[in-house]
Amino acid sequence: MSTHPLALAGRRVALAGAAALTATLALASPAAAHVEVEADTPQALAEDVTLTFLSEAESDSAGFTELRVVLPEGIAPEDVTLDEAPKGWKFKATSDGYTVAGPALKAGVDGEHKVKVRQLPDAKELAFKTVETYDDGKISRWIELPTGGEDSEQPAPVLELKAAAPGAKPADPGPSSSPTDETPSPTPSAAEPSTEATGSESAAKAAEDDEGGSTGLVIGGAVVALAVLGGGAWWLVKRRTAASQS
């Protein structure tokens, strides 16, 4: 029984479509896992906000050991504290964010942690670049920022914020906040006196040396004068004695 050419062509098209769909799903599956961030108060300038991060596991053979988060502009590392993390995990501030790390989670278990932020900045959205580390050494970087409406392969978690409440203002910087751009004058240490102090001491010593030299000249001159006067007097007395004897 022969197959009609049109039916054969249709079967080939169907098979090709199924293969293409399978390949597309296979390529998309690694990117299925991602990181999400939520806030209990997703509003600009909101204070004491709890952020929840969920890192979806993408390995069937290894578990998370560390989650590193880079904070967006407007949130300082010292203004973030740990609220909740997997058992045994520790929080550590870094120069641009923080890490939470500890004993490896079971393979396939999502990594979830919560932090409290002193105040959110005045922005429409915040991107939190996140780097995940597994106990087999694998690293997943969810750090790509949205550009031009195009989807990223490994997008950073983004938190959208509502407009700030009426009258809301940025809070005063905390006592541990970074210093301002105005750099204070350095304080000289006791072991290393400042250049100004050294110069003053040198000037004082030079003045003492000059004073001592001047005093020495005066005393020396007086001694010479006395010697001259004494010699003249002796010569005058000797001359008068010789004249009287004549």
Side-chain angles (χ1 to χ4, degrees):
M1 179 178 180
S2 60
T3 304
H4 195 278
L6 292 177
L8 183 59
R11 287 177 59 186
R12 289 176 178 175
V13 171
L15 290 174
L21 179 60
T22 302
T24 302
L25 293 176
L27 292 175
S29 59
H34 58 280
V35 183
E36 297 179 353
V37 59
E38 296 180 352
D40 60 351
T41 311
Q43 186 173 25
L45 297 180
E47 299 185 38
D48 296 327
V49 178
T50 299
L51 301 180
T52 301
F53 290 86
L54 178 64
S55 293
E56 295 185 355
E58 56 181 324
S59 175
D60 296 330
S61 59
F64 290 119
T65 58
E66 181 183 270
L67 304 175
R68 179 173 181 267
V69 176
V70 177
L71 296 171
E73 184 177 358
I75 301 180
E78 57 267 23
D79 291 336
V80 178
T81 56
L82 181 64
D83 186 58
E84 186 178 325
K87 185 177 181 180
W89 282 38
K90 304 295 183 182
F91 174 95
K92 182 180 180 181
T94 63
S95 60
D96 58 358
Y98 67 87
T99 62
V100 282
L105 302 182
K106 292 182 179 180
V109 175
D110 296 339
E112 183 177 352
H113 73 280
K114 298 180 181 181
V115 295
K116 180 161 289 188
V117 179
R118 186 167 179 262
Q119 184 181 42
L120 297 180
D122 190 3
K124 293 182 178 180
E125 61 180 23
L126 302 173
F128 297 84
K129 296 180 180 180
T130 304
V131 179
E132 305 167 336
T133 302
Y134 292 82
D135 62 349
D136 62 355
K138 180 181 177 181
I139 296 177
S140 294
R141 296 177 174 87
W142 301 93
I143 59 175
E144 297 179 5
L145 302 179
T147 54
E150 298 180 359
D151 293 335
S152 303
E153 292 185 1
Q154 290 186 300
V158 175
L159 177 66
E160 296 183 357
L161 302 179
K162 296 184 294 184
K169 296 180 180 180
D172 294 332
S176 59
S177 298
S178 301
T180 60
D181 294 336
E182 182 180 354
T183 305
S185 302
T187 303
S189 62
E192 299 180 358
S194 65
T195 304
E196 182 180 357
T198 303
S200 300
E201 293 175 1
S202 299
K205 184 176 180 180
E208 292 177 0
D209 292 342
D210 291 341
E211 184 178 355
S214 300
T215 304
L217 290 175
V218 173
I219 295 175
V223 171
V224 172
L226 290 175
V228 171
L229 291 175
W234 174 82
W235 177 80
L236 182 59
V237 171
K238 183 177 181 181
R239 185 177 180 183
R240 288 181 178 178
T241 301
S244 63
Q245 289 178 353
S246 302

